[in-house]
Amino acid sequence: MINAEAKHHMPTDCLNLSDCIEKTVTLSDISLFTIMVQCFLIHTICPVTTLAPGESRVLYCRVFGPEESVLSGNDCELGPEHRRLLQKEKVAVVARQVRSAVTLSREASGRVLVETVLGEEAVALQEADSGVLRLRAGEPFSGERSALWLGVQSLGFTLVCEPHENLLLAEGTLRNLTRHCLENLRMLGAGSEVLLKSDRMDVLLDRVLPHGQLLFLNHRLAQTLDKEVAAYMTK
Amino acid sequence: MYATGSESLIKQAREIQEAELQKFYCRISKLLQGKDHGHETINSLQRLRLILSATKFSRTLPDELQRRLASLLVSSSVEQLQVLSSAVLRETLPPTGQGQKYNVLDNSPLTSHAAGLLLSQAGSQADLAALSSVILRNLEGRPSDGSSHTLMHSHTHTLPLLNAIITYSPESLTEDHVTLLSKKMVDWLRYATAQQGTVVSSGGFFTGPRSRQPGPIAELDGSVSGDFFTVLCVSQAFSEDQWMNVHSFSMLRRWLLTYHSVTDGNMSQDAEDRSEIEGSVVSMVSVTSSSSRLLPPRERLREKAFLYCQRLIEQSDRKAVKRADSELQKACLVEAVCILDCVCVEDSPLVYRAFPCVKALYGRLSADLAYARVLLPLAHFYLNHGDAAAVDSECVWRLVFGRLPAELFNEALLAHEVLSFLRLNLPLLQHRGALHLTFFPNLLKFLAWDSPAVIDDFVDLLPSLVTAGTAVELLHSLLDLPCLSAALFLQYRSACFPISEPGGRGLSSLEAFRSPAHRGLFLFLLRGEAGSGDTIDRLSVLHEILAEAADWPRVVQCAQTVPVLLHVYFNAVVTVADGKLLAQIILVLLERSSLLLNIHKYTPEIHRVFSCHLLRMCKLRPSLVVDQWHELLEFAGTTGNVYSKDDLYTHVVWVLGEYLSVSCDPRCTVERITSCFESLEAVLFEITSSAPPPGQSGPAPRVITSLMSALAKLASRSHDLIPRVSLFLSKMRTLSRGGSVPWCSNEEDVVAIVTRGEELLSLLKLPSVAQSVLTPPPRATTPQWHRDTNSALPLRLRALTRHTDSHTHTHTHSH
């Protein structure tokens, strides 16, 4: 079953090619073929005085599913404490890499950052830098991943997904999530809601990206969810 | 945005004292004892969550608090409390001990937040299997009281949960589970209510007709939908089974890929299923008669998936009223084509049914670059099935490798997708005759535009682009990558501002880009396909035009990736090139060493790579030095190169000294050795007899010593030359005694050079010894002698040293 991916990329008339098989088998080793998002994180992409240069502060992170080492076989003897540590470190690696990617991308584009304040969420989102980063197998996740990012001012919003993921859908979902974050956690302001009201993020993810599942939502379906999210936020 | 306030909150959370923390735990525990949980409870739980999540180290909650939180998670009807208790528990370690895993959860219906906790703390495959059993049992039951219908109370979270579980461990579902879910998914996908949903009735979601149906669902363009419900149907409200339709489609691809092969291995099981179909849940809902109802569940699901995707493709042709929906249409097309591809891989006869639809879709979208991202899955379909269906896919490759990179090089996600597509299908593409190969100049545009983002892909892809046919052109292209980067920027800017911008920064290169006089240069640089020539004559003109680009960040980033790629290139080229091609490549190295865009640090970096690989190529094929000795000698005989390219110069001199020997190539005549000797001697004489040219620092000491060594080596092969080199070396000795040396300001360097000269001088006094040291027989340079203690080099050197020492009497050597 795990070889689903290999099969997927190999038409039947090609099965007899030994080199083909060899190559594709290594591809299937890359990951169990996930069509889901592995994690979502919000982190800084600006210099933070208390951090070393190039470091990024993770403000919110939700990893979907168990720590992958539970099932990968390599580190399955790790206790829950170590698994948690490993997971946190992996997330930190992603945050750092995205930070570098955003910095380089901004440098290359040479665009002047437009300062936005509370209430200008739509503008901020429109002006956001975006991109995608390939995370090789083992760097840091056991399989290859794509990290889709949006850079809004000094904050990075990142979705880590499987390389075959429907990136168009993932992109739309990331924008949607980011918009909600900016609005509901007042992230363009100076407050700390993202740290203290992170349950709002949990609910948002539970509706828009339940357990890491990207959903095909037309505007009506999305409105229904928005209403539920809005109802929660007003509590 | 990110303020110091947040930073200090994190600091506080991390540095909280143990005693204070214990007090906090107690307070929360007490708060949770009460029945009503007010603002204070919420606030405390939010703070607790921050404290726990701010550190990467695990904290352990008191047992009592942990129990209370778990019970809050299942018993509270306030979602915020569920969310917070789930979040807090996720940040802590699961209860220890066998069978201690949140027992309280087992007897209650599993909410999404509780399931999320169990999933995140699963410690083994068995945990996941147990969780999926619970979820499936829940699915069989009825949704809890839905008087206020929100998703929290429905079954909609079950499919995402299962998707997450099978992602990590497909074995978690039993054979029966898979069959059951396949059947259910058929129902949800194909037979969801085609009426607008109302406020949900209190019945289960499979049960009977609902009261007050407000009318049929609509298509995205507003017209009434005449067919079954899909994710592209809109309505005022959605019924539960319509939500399940959305979730089923969202996880469909994963499901098909995970459980595709089960059918093949379990025909008998499926045969049994066939008999029970009539009485199953399926027939209760799906009153529509269909021939596919006689298929076993998994094949039936495949069939329904096929129909669903076909319908999505049809629906995507409608003009959506909302912009967000037209984006969704594209995402649906991507998914639909991927699913079609995957069912066709499983069930090859379906290819003939699918291709008309896929071909029509391609025809519809290929002219419109707004659909570029959809074209990739289509290309994948053609790649996988084009041969089977005997379809000509040439036009597809021209579009995907031709037009897309040429026009959309600046779209990061498209670049990522095209390059991933290439990487993952490389074996297949190679098998089909390396379809992408001729388009390499186009593919390099992704690299030139956004090097940091795609360098990783190119490290993997580049070897596949290096063939005997492309090697030389590719080398030139890599060296000119920063120029391509600048040209793409000009093209982009020129397209954005068709007329010269008033008040904008006037770029002379932009003027040049627009001028017809330089059109040819830029056309070549921006060419889409290989084969129109390796490089151009007026490269230096191009470099002059682009001189101002040398500090554009994009160009600098690009230049920084070139050395890495050159290493990959050279490593690959030696595996495909014959001697003739390698000789040609050496020529390109020498020629291009002075023909590079002048970017800070770029030239020396490139020279370093050239040096490294010149050495490796010559080592691999020593006769290359004789093949190209004329050009190498011309390079080494040019005094200017000593100053401007000292690294490469040193290496050229070294390979000449090392490999211009009859033992490497019988064509190496005495005349050649003598002529080489004379050229090098002249350069060495020139640079050591005068001060460096104005504005230049002196020659690198390494250049001097390598020239001396090369001369000694050549002399050891043609003994007539020994007196000449000895005379020169002894002159060097006297030179240093005269105090300051005009060409070398560092005293230590002078000493090192003189010492080297003296060593060589001593060695040359015994010509036969000199030959065995300076031109060792090939046997001695192969690793064999490591195994033979008697012929080990240290031993040999010691013997020789003693021998020469006894003749010179003047110096002790410290080898």
Side-chain angles (χ1 to χ4, degrees), chain A residues 80-136:
Chain A
E81 204 165 343
H82 280 108
R83 285 205 298 266
R84 181 171 187 274
L85 183 62
L86 194 62
Q87 193 170 71
K88 292 256 175 194
E89 292 291 3
K90 285 179 181 175
V91 168
V93 169
V94 175
R96 273 201 299 269
Q97 296 204 10
V98 169
R99 199 207 139 154
S100 307
V102 181
T103 311
L104 286 167
S105 161
R106 283 184 173 169
E107 188 186 286
S109 77
R111 266 193 323 138
V112 184
L113 273 184
V114 180
E115 284 290 328
T116 43
V117 293
L118 273 178
E120 297 178 331
E121 283 78 13
V123 182
L125 199 60
Q126 213 176 356
E127 292 288 319
D129 302 275
S130 69
V132 59
L133 189 70
R134 174 184 171 203
L135 304 172
R136 276 178 185 267

Side-chain angles (χ1 to χ4, degrees), chain B residues 633-646 649 679-688 690-693 696 699 703 707:
Chain B
L633 198 56
E634 197 181 299
F635 183 90
T638 309
T639 315
N641 290 340
V642 170
Y643 301 104
S644 60
K645 307 167 190 168
D646 62 304
Y649 186 84
S679 297
L680 298 187
E681 186 190 34
V683 172
L684 185 57
F685 179 77
E686 191 183 335
I687 59 176
T688 53
S690 57
Q696 291 278 11
V703 172
L707 274 168

Side-chain angles (χ1 to χ4, degrees), chain A residues 182-203:
Chain A
L182 292 176
E183 286 170 3
N184 291 314
L185 294 165
R186 303 164 55 83
M187 296 194 78
L188 292 180
S192 307
E193 269 106 328
V194 66
L195 296 174
L196 287 173
K197 302 231 163 92
S198 48
D199 54 302
R200 293 183 170 187
M201 284 302 312
D202 294 339
V203 167

